[in-house]
Amino acid sequence: MVGTPKSMVLLLGSCVAAIASVGSVFELSSGDPELGSLTTSVILALSIPLSIFLFFAAVKDAQMNQE
């Protein structure tokens, strides 16, 4: 199954957000985040739901455009 360009962009965004959340966890667990604790915590708090939302949006778009 090949996705539509829209679903591939959504999936790419989901991957980037997931990578940002994992990176934020590692930065916060190191004890001294480069961007500061507040900024890193905000990135973590926004990237987790964003990655989940974009993933499900990509799956829904791919399912709606199946042949």
Side-chain angles (χ1 to χ4, degrees):
M1 178 177 98
V2 177
T4 65
K6 180 181 175 184
S7 65
M8 289 194 283
V9 169
L10 290 169
L11 192 57
L12 176 65
S14 174
C15 291
V16 170
I19 291 168
S21 65
V22 171
S24 295
V25 169
F26 279 111
E27 282 287 316
L28 288 170
S29 67
S30 73
D32 187 27
E34 287 185 25
L35 298 176
S37 295
L38 179 63
T39 305
T40 306
S41 297
V42 168
I43 292 170
L44 177 62
L46 294 175
S47 63
I48 291 174
L50 182 63
S51 64
I52 294 169
F53 171 76
L54 290 175
F55 177 78
F56 283 114
V59 170
K60 184 177 177 180
D61 182 66
Q63 287 177 342
M64 291 183 66
N65 293 309
Q66 276 184 334
E67 292 183 50

